[in-house]
Amino acid sequence: MQNSETKICKNCKQNFTIEPDDFSFYEKLNVPPPTWCPDCRFVRRISFRNEINLYKRPCDSCKKQIISVYSAAAKFPVYCNSCWFSDKWSGSDYALDVNFSLPFLEQIKTLLDTVPHLALAQLKNVNSEYSNYSAENKNCYLVVSALQSEDCAYSARLFYSRDCLDCLDISNCERCYECIRVDKSSNSTYCSYSENLVDCHYCFDCRGLMDCFGCVGLRNKNHHWLNEAVSKEEYERRKSLFGSNPSFRKDCMQKYKKLLETVPRRYAYVLKSVNSIGDNITQSKNCRNCFFVKNVENAKYVFAGRELKDFMDASYDDNSQLDYEIMSGERDYHVVFATNCWYSRELMYSNFCTDSSNLFGCVGLRNKEYCILNKQYSKEEYESLVPKIIRHMGDMAYISQGANGKEPIAYKFGEFFPLEFSPFAYNETVAQAYFPLTESEAAQRGYEWKSPVERNYEIDLKIKDIPSITEADESILSKTIECAHGGKCADGCATAFKIIPMEFQFYKKMRISIPELCPNCRYLRRLKSRNPMKLWSRLCQCAGTSSKNNLYKNIGAHQHGTEHCPNEFETSYAPDRLDIVYCEACYNGEIA
């Protein structure tokens, strides 16, 4: 087995390490080791993903007005869902012969600039036109990465849920609002990193609760208020007071914030998993540097994946195996260097290809096999030509032009697509959410930047004039409400918004106040509330009988007795944060 090797990233010039197991994976897929560090590879992939920046434009086929992630200024045709999946056109119509006098990636770029793009990535949805990267949903509005959900809105990473609004990373939930990383819960609001909740509000790291408010680290309780057991009558009294008395509400929220700072947190949200390092990992095995994954085995550098096996460097992939350098996949096998390819196998350097196999350098193909640059070949011709193209990609690299004196970067076989191939500006993509840049910083890196669209909405309802939900009637549906950020934030603020009927009915039913922020700002606020996709080596903060900062007194006996816990771990809690972070053993001694 090859020894580990330290390399210098071609992009950021920082050192990174390739481990022996990594080399084994690259050999298995017959690809060279990467020349970019993991963070730069991650940014490069997610710079091809625009989730919530939507534009009105005509479909270039049927000419109807549609909503798309691509503006009307896009250089390639954009088709609505019906037209793109129809028999009106074929990706084969754009087929190119391989030209060995040009870099192969440059020829792929020609296809990317000419083949029709799908306005919004949707499959098998019903009455859910305003959704992106979604499948098998019904009556959903402005949802992203949603699967088999119903009557939901303004949510992302939404699985098997119904009647939920403004949620992120939830599954098997019903009637939930502003919840983050919650599973199997109902009638709950403002809860996070919890499961099996019923009628709970403002709860963090809780399981099996019913009728609880402002609780942290509780298990299998009911009628608790700020971790204190109360009678059913007292709980209902406080709950009513919270809704009607601003002073009481403010005091409760301050105490809840203090609880969050004084109750120990697990070093990482790794549940029912074996030999795994990262955060938000559940029911997985042998995962390294993975985030927001479930039922994943033998993976490294994976973000937002479910039901995966034998993976490296993938973002937003589900039910797939043996993939590498992927941005958005579904039910794939051995797909490498690709974006938005679904239900396919044996693909390389392809984009928006579905139900296909054995494609190399293809764009927009459906139900095809043995194609190169969208041109059909026999199996024998394909298998003879692909090795020649791979050698050609090594001999004649695509050169990415440097910006502001930055050194040009050569892209040979083994690299994902150059960032300038992305159809989006950097600040339109999820890269801006996880690795935020200013306009000048983006320019220094040579990234495209999209100036805010000038919006001149005529505001009908100022923030100060928004009625309480008990006083509001359906006339509010016709009002244009100002966003509290007023376009002055860096979150793609829409400056104003409207309430849709399903949303209004939800607020009424759940007795939730009408929001003061537009959907874009609410979405980015949720993303920013999560820990970063970065790990730090830290020492457990259990000092024996209390936390190191003495804000928490231990209630359980620990193996290390009264001495400081010697355990070290990798965690997404940065060292300068105030949270009390315990290792798994110390955390279980106090919370579980």
Side-chain angles (χ1 to χ4, degrees):
M1 182 178 288
Q2 188 168 344
N3 295 327
S4 63
E5 183 177 324
T6 299
K7 289 193 171 188
I8 299 175
C9 175
K10 284 170 56 176
N11 186 56
C12 70
K13 309 304 180 185
Q14 300 298 309
N15 289 344
F16 69 100
T17 302
I18 301 177
E19 304 290 348
D21 287 346
D22 301 344
F23 284 111
S24 298
F25 180 83
Y26 303 136
E27 290 172 4
K28 185 176 182 179
L29 269 68
N30 200 24
V31 297
T35 62
W36 288 38
C37 70
D39 277 356
C40 287
R41 300 198 302 266
F42 180 41
V43 171
R44 184 170 58 182
R45 285 194 306 276
I46 62 176
S47 295
F48 282 76
R49 186 179 177 93
N50 172 11
E51 290 188 339
I52 63 168
N53 292 285
L54 306 179
Y55 304 92
K56 287 185 178 181
R57 56 159 299 146
C59 167
D60 287 312
S61 177
C62 67
K63 309 304 179 184
K64 291 180 180 178
Q65 284 295 310
I66 59 172
I67 298 294
S68 173
V69 291
Y70 308 108
S71 72
K75 62 179 66 175
F76 43 78
V78 175
Y79 287 3
C80 68
N81 195 273
S82 296
C83 291
W84 198 87
F85 282 102
S86 72
D87 295 329
K88 297 178 182 178
W89 73 285
S90 169
S92 300
D93 298 338
Y94 301 84
L96 300 175
D97 291 317
V98 178
N99 185 342
F100 286 97
S101 65
L102 293 174
F104 188 74
L105 284 176
E106 187 175 316
Q107 298 170 67
I108 296 177
K109 185 65 166 63
T110 299
L111 284 179
L112 288 170
D113 290 344
T114 55
V115 176
H117 284 46
L118 185 58
L120 292 169
Q122 304 173 349
L123 291 170
K124 303 177 183 177
N125 288 329
V126 177
N127 191 32
S128 303
E129 291 81 5
Y130 292 85
S131 62
N132 195 22
Y133 291 109
S134 64
E136 302 174 37
N137 302 294
K138 183 179 179 181
N139 302 332
C140 288
Y141 180 78
L142 288 182
V143 297
V144 177
S145 293
L147 177 66
Q148 293 185 26
S149 295
E150 186 173 346
D151 297 318
C152 296
Y154 309 120
S155 298
R157 297 285 297 161
L158 178 74
F159 302 96
Y160 319 113
S161 297
R162 60 182 299 159
D163 211 12
C164 295
L165 265 69
D166 282 297
C167 291
L168 176 64
D169 288 300
I170 69 168
S171 59
N172 303 289
C173 290
E174 187 171 358
R175 294 185 302 279
C176 286
Y177 178 72
E178 282 287 3
C179 288
I180 299 174
R181 195 60 181 82
V182 169
D183 190 22
K184 299 174 183 174
S185 300
S186 64
N187 290 338
S188 297
T189 65
Y190 299 100
C191 295
S192 53
Y193 298 92
S194 301
E195 60 184 60
N196 295 311
L197 306 181
V198 179
D199 294 308
C200 292
H201 312 279
Y202 295 99
C203 290
F204 176 85
D205 187 22
C206 293
R207 292 187 214 164
L209 303 192
M210 180 180 292
D211 292 307
C212 290
F213 177 95
C215 295
V216 180
L218 289 192
R219 302 289 185 267
N220 304 314
K221 304 290 184 182
N222 59 54
H223 298 114
H224 275 59
W225 192 276
L226 295 168
N227 280 26
E228 173 195 5
V230 296
S231 67
K232 178 181 178 180
E233 293 74 20
E234 176 62 13
Y235 179 84
E236 293 298 334
R237 186 191 73 81
R238 294 186 187 185
K239 185 177 177 181
S240 177
L241 197 59
F242 182 85
S244 60
N245 188 315
S247 177
F248 180 77
R249 181 165 57 248
K250 180 179 179 181
D251 181 62
C252 288
M253 293 311 298
Q254 288 175 343
K255 290 178 179 177
Y256 176 59
K257 182 179 178 181
K258 185 176 180 180
L259 263 182
L260 288 170
E261 295 173 350
T262 55
V263 175
R265 301 191 178 195
R266 177 193 277 112
Y267 77 101
Y269 198 79
V270 179
L271 300 179
K272 301 176 183 176
S273 298
V274 178
N275 192 31
S276 295
I277 296 173
D279 203 6
N280 291 281
I281 301 173
T282 56
Q283 298 172 351
S284 297
K285 181 180 179 181
N286 301 331
C287 293
R288 291 287 186 276
N289 292 85
C290 293
F291 299 85
F292 296 97
V293 300
K294 183 176 183 179
N295 293 325
V296 172
E297 184 176 349
N298 304 332
K300 194 170 185 179
Y301 307 126
V302 173
F303 171 73
R306 297 164 67 94
E307 310 289 346
L308 308 176
K309 186 176 181 181
D310 299 329
F311 254 68
M312 281 190 71
D313 287 289
S315 307
Y316 306 98
D317 204 339
D318 298 320
N319 299 285
S320 300
Q321 184 175 348
L322 206 64
D323 288 2
Y324 173 58
E325 280 279 28
I326 298 298
M327 201 298 292
S328 185
E330 176 73 28
R331 302 185 189 279
D332 295 327
Y333 177 82
H334 195 194
V335 174
V336 181
F337 314 120
T339 68
N340 303 301
C341 289
W342 310 305
Y343 309 103
S344 298
R345 56 189 297 119
E346 306 293 347
L347 271 57
M348 276 194 177
Y349 286 105
S350 295
N351 298 261
F352 277 110
C353 294
T354 66
D355 301 288
S356 298
S357 65
N358 295 285
L359 307 181
F360 197 103
C362 293
V363 179
L365 292 187
R366 291 170 283 143
N367 300 297
K368 294 290 185 180
E369 61 179 352
Y370 301 115
C371 294
I372 300 172
L373 294 177
N374 287 26
K375 183 177 179 179
Q376 184 69 62
Y377 291 87
S378 68
K379 180 178 183 292
E380 294 73 21
E381 291 171 328
Y382 178 89
E383 292 177 345
S384 173
L385 190 51
V386 165
K388 296 177 182 177
I389 295 172
I390 291 174
R391 287 195 296 272
H392 172 64
M393 293 177 74
D395 296 337
M396 185 180 289
Y398 174 87
I399 306 300
S400 176
Q401 296 303 312
N404 297 318
K406 185 178 179 181
E407 179 184 349
I409 297 176
Y411 283 81
K412 298 183 177 183
F413 176 77
E415 301 287 357
F416 190 75
F417 300 104
L419 196 144
E420 64 260 33
F421 280 24
S422 171
F424 309 112
Y426 186 88
N427 59 324
E428 288 181 293
T429 70
V430 291
Q432 177 67 5
Y434 296 111
F435 297 87
L437 299 176
T438 64
E439 184 175 359
S440 60
E441 288 171 337
Q444 289 173 1
R445 291 166 171 78
Y447 301 161
E448 185 181 346
W449 188 268
K450 190 174 184 64
S451 299
V453 176
E454 186 174 344
R455 306 174 192 268
N456 297 304
Y457 296 121
E458 186 174 331
I459 303 297
D460 300 314
L461 200 57
K462 296 284 189 180
I463 294 298
K464 63 181 180 63
D465 298 323
I466 295 177
S468 67
I469 193 59
T470 55
E471 296 173 340
D473 57 36
E474 292 189 354
S475 66
I476 199 170
L477 300 178
S478 64
K479 305 294 185 183
T480 299
I481 306 172
E482 75 168 337
C483 176
H485 287 172
K488 297 179 181 178
C489 65
D491 299 336
C493 179
T495 72
F497 62 100
K498 283 192 171 185
I499 304 296
I500 62 173
M502 68 177 291
E503 179 184 7
F504 179 68
Q505 292 161 10
F506 181 89
Y507 296 148
K508 279 284 190 181
K509 180 170 54 181
M510 298 285 288
R511 297 183 181 180
I512 292 171
S513 299
I514 293 168
E516 297 184 353
L517 296 177
C518 70
N520 278 15
C521 292
R522 303 197 306 262
Y523 170 74
L524 267 297
R525 180 182 60 184
R526 286 190 291 276
L527 285 185
K528 291 177 180 179
S529 72
R530 305 190 302 186
N531 285 6
M533 259 55 74
K534 183 177 175 63
L535 298 175
W536 288 269
S537 294
R538 293 187 61 178
L539 183 67
C540 178
Q541 291 182 285
C542 178
T545 59
S546 68
S547 61
K548 184 178 179 181
N549 60 9
N550 289 314
L551 292 179
Y552 177 81
K553 301 299 180 183
N554 289 348
I555 59 175
H558 297 199
Q559 276 190 326
H560 53 81
T562 59
E563 300 297 319
H564 198 295
C565 177
N567 289 340
E568 294 185 48
F569 45 71
E570 290 187 76
T571 178
S572 60
Y573 287 98
D576 59 351
R577 288 184 56 162
L578 299 178
D579 312 281
I580 299 170
V581 184
Y582 276 14
C583 69
E584 186 74 12
C586 292
Y587 172 87
N588 288 337
E590 299 300 311
I591 304 297

